[in-house]
Amino acid sequence: MKKLLIVYVILSAVASAGSILSAKSKEIYKDPKAPVEKRVKDLLSRMTLEEKIWQITQGVYGGYDNPNNILGVNRNTVPYIGSVICHATSAQMTNLLQKKAVDSTRLGIPILVGMDIIHGNRTVYPIPLAQGASFNPNLAYQASRVAARESYDVGIHWTFSPMIDITHDPRWGRVMEAYGEDPYVNARFCEAAVKGYQGENLSDEGSIAACLKHYVGYGESEGGRDYFPTDISNQMLWDTYFPPYEAGVKAGAATVMSSFNTLNGIPATCNPYTLQEVLRGKWGFEGFVVSDWEAVMQIVLQGCAADKKEAGEKAINSGLDMDMADFVYVDFLKELIEEGKVSEKTVDEAVSRVLTLKFRLGLFENPYRPETSEADFLKPEYRAVAEQMAAESAVLLKNEAVLPLKKDAKVAVIGPIAEDQKCVMGNWRGLGEFADVITLLDGMKAEFPNLTYSKGCEIEGNDKSGFADAVAVAQASDVVVLCLGEGFLYTGENCSRGSISLPGVQEELFAELVKTGKPVVVLIESGRPLDLTRIAPGATALMDIWCPGVNGGPAVASLLSGRRNPSGKLPVTFPYTLKQIPVYYNHRDRSRRGNMGIYNDGTPLEPLFDFGYGLSYSKFEYSDIQADGLHASVKVTNTSAIDGEETVLWFIKDMACSIARPVKELKYFEKRLIKAGQTEVFEFEMDKLRDLGFVDSRGDRFFEPGQFIIFTGDKQKTIEVK
Ligand code: GLC
């Protein structure tokens, strides 16, 4: 019996050793057929603590051209680092990096390569603020597909986009990076960008991971000063700032980036409420959160940590999975774990989220990309998408029967933006090269055979010596097209400005040209709403073309000639003057009316141009608004002889709610072509809770029966909903 027992014990010992060996030898993480969670679990079990900590660290590899990111003491990228930011110019460059990671490290974990592909990589299309003006999320989807392809091809796996930070302060330079002031518009474009970047599957050719940023409330940096604190009530967070992020999470965004600002005193980089209670608890987000650039160590500067070690402890324990660019996790996490201040389980959760994305991207099977060449970029079909977006995002703000111009008109093109190839790109231009830009002047030369040009003045500076030539050219023409705008990097990160007026002597040049008595068509290149109060009245026509990207020239020229019909509408309010801000459409009402609550120095309460404003060459007449229960409709007739696209915006107002509601809330929009003389019926199928309900300060959506007004065009209808 005893012998039998001994034999049994030996046999079972051999068997279990065999199973351990087989498990050890059977590297499940390398099996593409194994479920991702099994691969993650297996790989995690093989990692040392040091390897885990490097896996949730992001460094910088190769050139990086964002001057605002002070390249601190960034160590050389070690091959077992989890991720790098890389201004990748070719697959050859990133393949070198991946080869080091896959071949020279113990576990061969590929590196996740991230980059700011905000509005195109080499094919730079209009800035997100302009895209919002198109009210065409499907076009934004197409543009994001192009951006993803040109990024995938150079070995970028992850873009830090879409940015969906609502702001009510045009002094803030990053107003260019989101889709305007409205939560609903930002949510729709966010979904389009996430789906455009990520495609059907993250492992598909041409797909890259998206990143919702900057979570959250960054756009309300006090005084429009970047990096400053923000104080936002929970009510405003839930009804204004959270919705685009919730939409992005529901659209399947793979990652989120926390923001630089303290939010109500707690840095967003280590904010358990936003990072855990809301993002994971309320919305069920399963991806990972990356900090912004060196934001973990900036917790010390924000006065919320005594030193970087404490900053690291707070960040990882608040749910901040990956540390960007300051190596705080590398320097302190091991110690924090040994001191029991951070559990290895917390680190394992963060590592698992990063590894999950790498498996979902297929990086273990396809760490390399085919070598790239110039032919892979700026393909005609890519430029075509960029041009269409530039055309659809331009907003015609005024037209006193001067546009479209006649083909044979004698056109004087004047102004410092006419030949510009830098400002029109906008900030965050990825691999965009200035020489790629077809200028406004070149675009117009191709459209108008009878054209003369004079620069008139620079964007900045006080030199008026070019005025005389510009005036002479204007006097010899039938019409002036005056190209004015902001300077290079006037918007973007760390680009806050105390003034939103046109710089230099551009306004004076405009005034001199108006004196000639010739019609003056003003084109405004801008990354933010500008103060146009000294331009709009004297301009014969006025069009904001934003930063239109590589094909802005042909796009704008086609609008001026009528080959295309303007269809953009403002996604952001244009203030009458900075003295008014904050001024935005979906504000709550005051407690008094009439001359109570006005500025007593004559500064108007109303903005210069409203959210949703934009003209067309067509004339659209709204009629017969109907509302039957939760179904509303309106007829829109194109009474002109020109086919045109109209975006019908549907707003609601809750007349009485336990929480004061904005005077108007955009709940749906639809853009459609209406042929000359035709009538189209536009419908809005309301969902009671989604469209007429509201959220409270805990984020719980509720509906209260009562009276609502539905607005669209110049029509409105009051409905009673039980
Ligand atoms: C920057 C920006 C962020 C960007 C990151 C990486 O500081 O705030 O938008 O994605 O660093 O470049």
Side-chain angles (χ1 to χ4, degrees):
M1 184 58 179
K2 203 172 167 194
K3 274 188 187 157
L4 266 179
L5 188 61
I6 291 167
V7 168
Y8 173 74
V9 167
I10 291 167
L11 281 176
S12 57
V14 168
S16 61
S19 66
I20 290 167
L21 275 177
S22 70
K24 211 69 189 152
S25 59
K26 188 173 180 338
E27 293 170 316
I28 297 171
Y29 79 95
K30 288 182 177 172
D31 174 4
K33 293 192 182 59
V36 166
E37 52 279 359
K38 283 199 176 352
R39 300 180 77 181
V40 169
K41 190 162 178 279
D42 175 57
L43 180 50
L44 193 68
S45 69
R46 298 168 190 272
M47 295 171 78
T48 63
L49 177 60
E50 191 192 12
E51 286 167 333
K52 292 177 185 175
I53 293 171
W54 275 99
Q55 195 56 220
I56 54 176
T57 293
Q58 180 175 60
V60 184
Y61 173 71
Y64 188 75
D65 75 344
N66 176 352
N68 303 308
N69 284 322
I70 309 125
L71 275 175
V73 185
N74 268 319
R75 301 157 207 178
N76 289 326
T77 302
V78 293
Y80 42 84
I81 195 166
S83 174
V84 293
I85 298 175
C86 175
H87 198 72
T89 52
S90 69
Q92 293 82 305
M93 175 181 176
T94 47
N95 287 343
L96 265 182
L97 174 74
Q98 287 303 1
K99 199 136 188 55
K100 263 199 323 185
V102 172
D103 293 350
S104 72
T105 60
R106 198 171 67 81
L107 296 164
I109 303 173
I111 292 173
L112 184 66
V113 179
M115 184 58 200
D116 294 289
I117 309 299
I118 309 300
H119 51 107
N121 194 5
R122 177 70 188 278
T123 305
V124 175
Y125 45 85
I127 57 174
L129 183 59
Q131 294 173 45
S134 74
F135 281 87
N136 188 346
N138 180 48
L139 190 53
Y141 166 84
Q142 294 170 45
S144 305
R145 284 270 75 195
V146 169
R149 182 76 239 195
E150 284 192 334
S151 305
Y152 177 92
D153 286 345
V154 294
I156 292 172
H157 314 119
W158 176 28
T159 176
F160 306 126
S161 171
M163 190 273 213
I164 42 180
D165 296 321
I166 286 172
T167 182
H168 295 129
D169 194 329
R171 292 173 295 182
W172 190 55
R174 306 196 78 163
V175 59
M176 64 150 285
E177 291 180 52
Y179 303 93
E181 70 193 33
D182 181 74
Y184 182 79
V185 171
N186 274 278
R188 299 295 75 77
F189 277 87
C190 172
E191 288 163 349
V194 168
K195 291 184 163 59
Y197 290 136
Q198 301 191 165
E200 285 305 308
N201 289 299
L202 281 171
S203 58
D204 289 349
E205 191 177 316
S207 291
I208 59 174
C211 182
L212 307 176
K213 74 180 186 183
H214 308 78
Y215 183 65
V216 65
Y218 181 33
E220 292 312 346
S221 300
E222 203 167 63
R225 298 182 292 266
D226 214 344
Y227 315 119
F228 268 63
T230 65
D231 280 284
I232 305 173
S233 70
N234 267 23
Q235 183 58 46
M236 280 293 273
L237 276 175
W238 280 105
D239 62 42
T240 302
Y241 301 92
F242 277 147
Y245 285 93
E246 186 173 6
V249 168
K250 291 210 163 81
T255 66
V256 167
M257 181 186 294
S258 58
S259 53
F260 282 128
N261 54 296
T262 51
L263 173 64
N264 304 328
I266 313 291
T269 309
C270 60
N271 192 311
Y273 175 65
T274 54
L275 294 176
Q276 292 175 324
E277 194 173 326
V278 176
L279 187 62
R280 299 204 188 274
K282 196 95 175 164
W283 299 335
F285 178 64
E286 294 181 342
F288 73 81
V289 180
V290 63
S291 75
D292 204 337
W293 190 287
E294 298 182 336
V296 174
M297 77 178 193
Q298 287 163 18
I299 297 172
V300 178
L301 304 179
Q302 289 167 313
C304 293
D307 52 34
K308 288 202 274 188
K309 180 176 171 184
E310 187 186 7
E313 175 190 352
K314 288 193 162 189
I316 190 85
N317 284 335
S318 302
L320 194 285
D321 300 303
M322 181 180 278
D323 173 25
M324 181 191 289
D326 59 19
F327 297 92
V328 169
Y329 283 7
V330 165
D331 290 338
F332 300 103
L333 269 191
K334 187 166 185 293
E335 215 176 304
L336 287 163
I337 290 170
E338 284 157 0
E339 293 168 3
K341 292 176 180 170
V342 173
S343 76
E344 187 159 354
K345 180 173 174 292
T346 303
V347 172
D348 286 353
E349 282 167 1
V351 174
S352 299
R353 291 173 183 139
V354 174
L355 294 178
T356 297
L357 179 57
K358 293 186 176 185
F359 283 119
R360 289 182 62 203
L361 283 163
L363 294 190
F364 285 80
E365 285 70 52
N366 297 306
Y368 309 113
R369 297 286 183 262
E371 297 213 341
T372 39
S373 69
E374 185 58 15
D376 293 306
F377 305 115
L378 283 169
K379 293 179 179 175
E381 60 270 30
Y382 295 171
R383 277 190 179 268
V385 170
E387 182 169 326
Q388 186 60 25
M389 180 58 88
E392 291 202 33
S393 55
V395 183
L396 182 60
L397 298 167
K398 183 179 181 184
N399 183 19
E400 287 176 341
V402 65
L403 292 177
L405 302 177
K406 293 182 181 54
K407 246 345 215 177
D408 61 354
K410 283 195 289 183
V411 180
V413 177
I414 297 171
I417 301 297
E419 283 191 297
D420 170 77
Q421 291 184 299
K422 291 172 66 174
C423 311
V424 294
M425 277 277 216
N427 207 328
W428 301 107
R429 64 182 193 282
L431 287 181
E433 293 177 16
F434 300 133
D436 298 339
V437 169
I438 305 173
T439 65
L440 296 176
L441 180 61
D442 286 345
M444 282 186 264
K445 278 179 179 169
E447 202 82 21
F448 299 102
N450 204 346
L451 179 149
T452 51
Y453 167 65
S454 175
K455 189 169 190 177
C457 70
E458 298 302 326
I459 292 170
E460 297 170 309
N462 301 316
D463 180 3
K464 299 183 186 180
S465 59
F467 281 23
D469 183 66
V471 167
V473 165
Q475 281 164 337
S477 70
D478 300 331
V479 61
V480 174
V481 176
L482 180 57
C483 309
L484 305 176
E486 289 192 290
F488 185 54
L489 303 188
Y490 267 47
T491 50
E493 183 182 352
N494 197 19
C495 296
S496 301
R497 300 182 71 80
S499 159
I500 59 168
S501 301
L502 284 164
V505 292
Q506 297 184 56
E507 290 186 9
E508 288 90 328
L509 173 63
F510 165 73
E512 287 309 307
L513 293 169
V514 168
K515 284 179 195 161
T516 66
K518 299 288 182 181
V520 180
V521 175
V522 180
L523 303 178
I524 298 288
E525 168 269 321
S526 72
R528 59 161 48 93
L530 293 182
D531 172 356
L532 299 175
T533 41
R534 291 168 300 285
I535 297 287
T540 320
L542 177 62
M543 185 184 283
D544 200 310
I545 61 170
W546 314 103
C547 301
V550 290
N551 268 49
V556 171
S558 73
L559 293 168
L560 296 179
S561 71
R563 199 159 43 85
R564 288 190 172 102
N565 188 353
S567 62
K569 292 182 183 287
L570 292 181
V572 65
T573 299
F574 272 48
Y576 188 85
T577 161
L578 266 188
K579 292 185 275 183
Q580 283 182 317
I581 57 171
V583 60
Y584 52 99
Y585 93 91
N586 52 346
H587 59 82
R588 288 182 164 80
D589 230 332
R590 52 187 159 150
S591 60
R592 292 194 170 185
R593 297 289 184 271
N595 65 354
M596 309 298 275
I598 62 171
Y599 294 109
N600 289 300
D601 63 356
T603 303
L605 287 183
E606 294 312 310
L608 183 66
F609 295 114
D610 278 310
F611 170 88
Y613 180 76
L615 301 173
S616 163
Y617 297 148
S618 306
K619 292 281 172 279
F620 297 113
E621 206 168 274
Y622 286 60
S623 64
D624 194 15
I625 183 170
Q626 297 289 334
D628 170 16
L630 295 176
H631 173 271
S633 65
V634 71
K635 287 178 183 167
V636 183
T637 303
N638 180 348
T639 57
S640 76
I642 305 170
D643 295 352
E645 290 195 288
E646 171 67 344
T647 299
V648 170
L649 302 169
W650 290 94
F651 298 91
I652 64 116
K653 172 171 175 52
D654 183 348
M655 298 305 286
C657 179
S658 51
I659 296 173
R661 303 279 290 267
V663 294
K664 276 171 87 172
E665 298 171 51
L666 181 68
K667 291 297 176 183
Y668 181 61
F669 62 80
E670 183 186 349
K671 184 173 192 176
R672 201 190 302 171
L673 176 69
I674 307 179
K675 287 196 166 302
Q678 296 304 303
T679 296
E680 292 278 338
V681 177
F682 288 76
E683 305 191 87
F684 173 25
E685 290 299 341
M686 283 171 276
D687 174 278
K688 190 155 56 167
L689 195 56
R690 180 195 66 203
D691 299 316
L692 301 175
F694 205 46
V695 282
D696 63 20
S697 57
R698 291 183 309 280
D700 296 328
R701 185 164 284 277
F702 65 92
F703 169 76
E704 288 178 357
Q707 271 201 342
F708 295 82
I709 301 179
I710 303 173
F711 304 88
T712 185
D714 58 353
K715 298 291 177 278
Q716 67 180 63
K717 187 96 178 173
T718 302
I719 59 174
E720 186 79 34
V721 182
K722 299 256 178 287

